[in-house]
């Protein structure tokens, strides 16, 4: 037990868990009959799945030291292309059976996601441009492309399988939560077990040293942008399943929420670090706050302000100046309660 | 050799602008009609003033996403301020007050990023959310209707410095806003090139450690750069809302990418502390001539976002490639 | 008034528990040039920062022209006529030469406005005084290193400097530029300007310095005129022990391991050919800018060659990037340990395993064999006797010597056939230096082709069995280590 607690990363996980539970209790106690219901749990986790997958798409890039602002645009583009195939708007004459349309549509969405990653990766890794500039430009590009395809309108309707994904449960657990869980398990596997994950982390820690260690930054970055595009596409399908409609400008605010989750999970602060597990827990944390706000009927303005303030607060809390002050406070508290100090 | 390269970049921009304009004019002669020329110039005002502000921050090596929130918020505060004191407003105080609000708000970003040595960009993601919403939390409505606006300000819409009556009966009006753009550009040029503080902004973009060693206070320079940025986007914002005649927070949000596109096309380079007033104006001209004429050329509205995205990418690519070419020349 | 321009008396400075300076004295007369020497971490830079007003001393006295201070602020220091030229020159690459020269002057004299004409006139005055042609309108980033240094000196002169402190002034300069610098320095001395050189490269600085002050572990060791010293003595005072370097004589030479024929990289080097035989340590030496680092990086695949052929055990190599070099069995220990060699905030274990991740994940899914990786890392730590607390500590917690051994361990773990070492003992204490040299010789004996690239001549002479001299991108000579001494090698390098 002592060993588990002693590890710094584990300590972070545990404190995140604690914060989440405490938050759930506090926010739940305001509105217990609405908050602690199966229905609320299901609607919460569906929303969580969406944000969570976007957060993963962001995490993949943040680990390697960049930032991806094009996630939501890629997601919408992928969903629009995939969804159009599913509904027979594209290639409707060639692919007739609904099942074939569904499968081809999913494939198209994923391929679009990965291809968009290739484009981002080419500019960032191949030409060495700043990730923020490139992805904010490609974000426009992809959103523009989506607009061109939809001609500025929403495409309403979805195949049954997709709408079922967004509304049905398996033993009371929404399919979407299971899907998100699956994505997180994949990410956990990639970043904890595989060579690609290890190289991503080294690249994020020091890109120059990684190159001088005989690892190819180009290949690693390219793969990570492709993986980010892949997760974005899945995020797009999740959004589609929840809305049963396709729009080019859907969910623009989700980028900052995704960043908030990743930041809270600690990936941003430790260059090349951050555990997938911590991202997953902070996802719940953010979602509980978000649901609490929705239940108490606050406006988007309040929510945005709180997100912004949280973002800045977490950023500041990780800076050395504040860290020092915090540890001094901790030291004071420990001196006042010597018994507790010895135990730790 | 360096000098020649600089002329080259600027020349390329001007040639590009003329080329686009010519091609457009050949396709659709109405592009060069007095009405359309005036409307293009009017379209460039907001973008131009805001891009000049954006440039100032980019020269120091930072990048700020919250420009449109700052713009909107300072315009809102100015309008509310007039409402509270019951003043119908006038042009001069309007720009001064909005500029002051904008400068103060933007300095928050600068302070946080400099004090805690955080990336200004990441800080601005957070403050963007806050500035865009914090003042509306407790208000019943975030709109200001036309009849609730300070009435004198609405005259911005109709005040023209030049009015031409074309044969078709349509009027071509050159809006007063172009004066603001020209004045802002001139003031900023003087500040950046002729004052010690202005040079400090370039110096900060050149080398963050050296700037302290030669005797500048990096915090002061950062704050001033952000203040200039804030003032510019706020002036652009109050102009925009006065011109629109109503206030609604979201109206301005999607204009941010044009500003970034203009700054990048104008040759701003965050990595090297580069950017010039002339370059920005050329960048704004290019972006405006494309965006304003697409509709006239019969391109559907929904192609505009795509075009702007492609333009930014091209701009980034162009500046990188010309930089690489320069380095290769130096190597020889 | 005292005869000294600057006198430091009994200055001490501690950082938390570390005593960086302990009762240090230093004296400089007007027109004198003094060398402040010592190993890395001996307190040289702390002392400079106290003189320039960045740090406040804990105790002691600073006397400038007879006026005593307990501490200085940066402004006071500049006003007193003290100027520091840092190793990176602190110039602004995006501004012109004239502006760079005039900027600090304008700020110091509280000028609020800027005039290009005034800047040019000010700059022209000092540039003419020094007599070096400089294009005042060029952007500083287009200048060579030597020209940048001249700009920094001009900036100092414009502020009426009476004492110029130069941090490692000759490290980055070519022989020609060093000669030009010496000429400038003579001119400065003649004008009564005092100079302090901070350096650990004695050969070059000894030429201009009139007296030496040596620090070790934050204490004065000795201070006296140049004539009292010879190289062995200086080395003894700096390190506190006698260091004997014995030339390396391989027991036997085996077959050819690695061969380069006609390597060419446009604008950097050309016509580079050499071969490396089993058992020997090949040295490549040249001044900074001679193309030695670029050559090493090209052999490691980081710079695509424009021509030439590389063969390893008779097989031709086509390298695209460092990963292909590692796959072929070539390792490269880079020059700059802190930014290129190490992931500073990352655990020691992951640092050592950075090069072998691919080797231990040869399966379709790329799953890492963590146990195998750990065994390999532990074996290397054992073999190189790296002193560490825990493999999970960040590598930044180690001393310079141990950090360098971590980088070496990373490369030995890949099982290299050829290992390129670029300046392997920069910033390493003397004990570790000898230890690393012994390791290099042992590895050569074990059959790894070793190439040492360095401008540290004693190092080249004591580890290499054969030395290639590189000048302006070409090999200008090849020598057996036994036929060489430092003077001849020095002469070979400077011959431009």
């Amino acid at each position: 037990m002592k060993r588990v607690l002693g590890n710094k990363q584990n300590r972070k996980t545990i404190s995140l868990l604690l914060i989440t539970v405490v938050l759930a209790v506090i926010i739940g106690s305001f509105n217990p009959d609405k908050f602690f219901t199966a229905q609320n749990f299901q609607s919460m986790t569906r929303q969580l799945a969406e944000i969570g997958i976007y957060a993963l798409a962001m995490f993949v890039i943040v680990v390697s030291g960049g930032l991806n602002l094009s996630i939501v645009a890629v997601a919408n583009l992928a969903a629009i292309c995939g969804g159009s195939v599913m509904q027979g708007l594209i290639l409707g004459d060639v692919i007739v059976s609904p099942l074939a349309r569904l499968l081809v549509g999913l494939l198209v969405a994923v391929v679009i996601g990965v291809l968009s990653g290739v484009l981002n990766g080419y500019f960032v890794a191949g030409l060495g441009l700043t990730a923020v500039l490139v992805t904010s430009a490609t974000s426009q590009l992809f959103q523009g492309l989506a607009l061109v395809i939809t001609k500025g309108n929403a495409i309403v309707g979805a195949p049954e399988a997709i709408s079922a994904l967004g509304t049905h449960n398996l033993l009371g657990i929404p399919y979407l939560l299971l899907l998100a869980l699956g994505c997180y398990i994949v990410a956990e596997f990639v970043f904890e077990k595989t060579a690609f994950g290890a190289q991503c982390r080294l690249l994020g820690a020091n890109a120059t040293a990684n190159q001088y260690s005989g690892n190819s930054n180009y290949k690693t970055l390219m793969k990570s942008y492709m993986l980010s595009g892949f997760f974005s596409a899945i995020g797009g399908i999740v959004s589609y399943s929840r809305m049963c409609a396709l729009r080019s400008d859907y969910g623009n605010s989700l980028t900052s929420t995704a960043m908030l989750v990743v930041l809270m999970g600690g990936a941003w602060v430790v260059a090349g670090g951050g555990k997938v597990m911590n991202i997953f827990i902070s996802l719940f944390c953010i979602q509980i706050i978000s649901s609490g706000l929705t239940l108490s009927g606050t406006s988007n303005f309040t929510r945005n302000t709180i997100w912004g303030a949280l973002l800045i607060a977490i950023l500041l809390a990780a800076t050395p100046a504040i860290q020092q002050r915090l540890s001094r406070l901790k030291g004071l508290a420990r001196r006042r309660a010597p018994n507790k100090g010895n135990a730790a | 050799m360096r000098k020649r390269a600089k002329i080259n970049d600027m020349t390329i921009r001007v040639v590009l602008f003329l080329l686009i304009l010519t091609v457009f004019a050949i396709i659709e002669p109405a592009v060069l009609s007095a009405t359309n020329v005036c409307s293009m110039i009017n379209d460039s005002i907001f973008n131009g003033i805001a891009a000049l502000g954006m440039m100032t921050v980019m020269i120091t090596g930072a990048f700020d996403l919250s420009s449109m929130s700052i713009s909107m918020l300072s315009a809102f505060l100015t309008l509310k301020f007039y409402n509270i004191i019951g003043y119908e407003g006038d042009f001069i105080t309007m720009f001064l007050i909005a500029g002051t609000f904008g400068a103060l708000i933007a300095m928050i970003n600068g302070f946080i990023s400099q004090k805690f040595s955080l990336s200004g960009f990441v800080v601005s993601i957070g403050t963007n959310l806050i500035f865009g919403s914090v003042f509306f939390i407790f208000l019943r409505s975030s709109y200001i209707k036309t009849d609730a606006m300070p009435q004198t300000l609405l005259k911005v819409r109709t005040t023209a410095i030049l009015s031409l009556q074309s044969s078709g009966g349509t009027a071509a009006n050159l809006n007063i806003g172009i004066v603001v753009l020209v004045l802002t550009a001139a003031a900023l040029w003087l500040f950046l090139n002729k004052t010690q503080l202005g040079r400090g902004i370039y110096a900060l973009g050149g080398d963050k450690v050296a700037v302290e060693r030669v005797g500048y206070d990096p915090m002061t320079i950062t704050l001033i750069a952000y203040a200039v940025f804030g003032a510019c986007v706020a002036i652009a914002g109050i102009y925009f809302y006065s011109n629109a005649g109503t206030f609604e927070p979201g109206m301005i949000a999607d204009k941010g990418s044009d500003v970034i596109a203009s700054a990048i096309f104008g040759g701003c380079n965050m990595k090297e502390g580069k950017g010039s007033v002339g370059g920005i104006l050329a960048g704004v001209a290019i972006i405006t001539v494309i965006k304003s004429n697409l509709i006239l050329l019969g391109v559907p509205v929904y192609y505009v976002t795509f075009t702007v995205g492609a333009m930014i990418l091209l701009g980034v690519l162009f500046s990188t490639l010309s930089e690489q070419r320069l380095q290769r020349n130096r190597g020889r | 008034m005292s005869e000294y321009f600057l006198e430091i008396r009994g200055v001490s400075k501690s950082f938390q528990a570390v005593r960086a300076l302990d009762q240090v004295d230093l004296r400089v007369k007007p027109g004198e040039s003094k060398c402040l020497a010592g190993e890395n971490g001996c307190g040289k830079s702390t002392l400079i920062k106290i003189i320039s007003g960045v740090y406040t001393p804990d105790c002691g006295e600073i006397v400038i022209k007879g006026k005593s201070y307990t501490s200085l602020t940066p402004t006071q220091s500049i006003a007193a006529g003290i100027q520091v030229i840092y190793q990176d020159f602190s110039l602004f690459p995006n501004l012109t030469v004239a502006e760079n020269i005039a900027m600090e002057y304008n700020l110091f004299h509280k000028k609020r406005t800027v005039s290009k004409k005034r800047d040019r006139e000010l700059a022209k005055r000092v540039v003419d005084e020094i007599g070096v042609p400089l294009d005042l309108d060029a952007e500083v980033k287009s200048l060579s290193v030597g020209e940048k240094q001249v700009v920094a000196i001009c900036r100092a002169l414009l502020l009426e400097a009476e004492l110029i402190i130069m941090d490692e002034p000759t490290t980055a300069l070519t022989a020609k530029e060093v000669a030009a610098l010496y000429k400038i320095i003579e001119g400065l001395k003649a004008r009564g300007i005092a100079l302090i050189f901070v350096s650990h490269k004695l050969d070059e600085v000894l030429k201009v310095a009139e007296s030496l002050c040596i620090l070790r572990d934050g204490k004065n060791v000795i201070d006296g005129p140049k004539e009292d010293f010879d190289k062995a003595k200086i080395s003894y005072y700096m390190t506190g022990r006698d260091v004997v370097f014995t030339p390396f004589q391989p027991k036997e030479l085996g077959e050819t391991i690695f061969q380069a024929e006609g390597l060419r990289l446009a604008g950097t080097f050309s016509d580079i050919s050499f071969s490396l035989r089993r058992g020997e340590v090949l040295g490549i030496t040249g001044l900074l800018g001679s193309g030695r680092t670029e050559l090493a990086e090209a052999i490691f695949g980081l710079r695509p060659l424009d021509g030439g052929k590389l063969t390893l055990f008779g097989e031709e190599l086509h390298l695209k990037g460092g990963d292909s070099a590692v796959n072929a069995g070539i390792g490269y220990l880079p020059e700059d340990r802190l930014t290129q060699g190490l992931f500073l905030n990352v655990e020691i274990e992951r640092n050592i395993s950075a090069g072998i991740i691919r080797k231990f994940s040869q399966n379709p899914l790329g799953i890492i064999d963590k146990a195998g990786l750990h065994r390999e890392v532990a074996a290397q730590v054992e073999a190189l006797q790296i002193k560490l607390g825990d493999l999970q500590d960040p590598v930044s917690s180690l001393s310079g010597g141990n950090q360098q051994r971590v980088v070496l361990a990373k490369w030995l773990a890949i099982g290299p056939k050829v290992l390129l070492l670029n300046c392997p003992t920069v910033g390493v204490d003397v004990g570790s230096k000898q230890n690393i040299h012994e390791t290099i010789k042992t590895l050569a004996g074990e059959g790894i082709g070793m190439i040492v690239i360095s401008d540290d001549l004693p190092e080249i002479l004591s580890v290499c069995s054969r030395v290639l001299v590189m000048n302006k991108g070409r090999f200008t000579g090849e020598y057996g280590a036994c036929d060489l001494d430092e003077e001849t090698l020095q002469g070979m390098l400077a011959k431009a």
Side-chain angles (χ1 to χ4, degrees), chain A residues 330-344:
Chain A
K330 248 186 234 166
L332 276 179
R334 209 165 279 175
R335 237 170 286 149
R336 271 183 207 149
N339 293 337
K340 231 181 186 176
N342 289 343

Side-chain angles (χ1 to χ4, degrees), chain B residues 124-153:
Chain B
S124 76
I125 294 173
T127 52
N128 182 38
L129 290 169
I130 300 178
F131 297 154
S133 46
V134 67
F135 273 88
F136 304 108
I137 295 178
F138 305 105
L139 292 177
R140 217 167 299 128
S141 149
S142 55
Y143 298 85
I144 301 177
K145 292 202 186 93
T146 311
D147 48 358
M149 294 274 282
Q151 292 301 309
T152 320
L153 301 194

Side-chain angles (χ1 to χ4, degrees), chain C residues 25 61 80 84 162 180 199-200 211 214 221 257 320 365 375 468 472 492:
Chain C
D25 298 328
E61 193 186 9
V84 182
E162 290 178 63
S199 182
H200 64 260
S211 56
I214 298 179
V221 181
I257 299 177
K320 283 197 189 75
L365 279 176
R375 268 197 305 277
L468 291 164
K472 286 187 183 162
M492 283 303 302

Side-chain angles (χ1 to χ4, degrees), chain B residues 194 196 199 213 272-273, chain C residues 90 94 99 112 114 141:
Chain B
K194 292 292 163 193
Q196 200 65 48
R199 300 315 291 169
R213 288 190 181 148
E272 312 219 352
Chain C
S90 297
N94 55 343
E99 202 167 0
R112 293 193 182 280
V114 177
K141 73 171 165 206

Side-chain angles (χ1 to χ4, degrees), chain B residues 212-236:
Chain B
E212 205 169 350
R213 288 190 181 148
V214 301
Y216 279 114
D217 176 20
M219 179 57 105
T220 313
I221 300 180
T222 311
L223 285 182
I224 285 177
Y226 272 89
V228 170
F229 158 67
C232 284
V233 292
I235 288 170

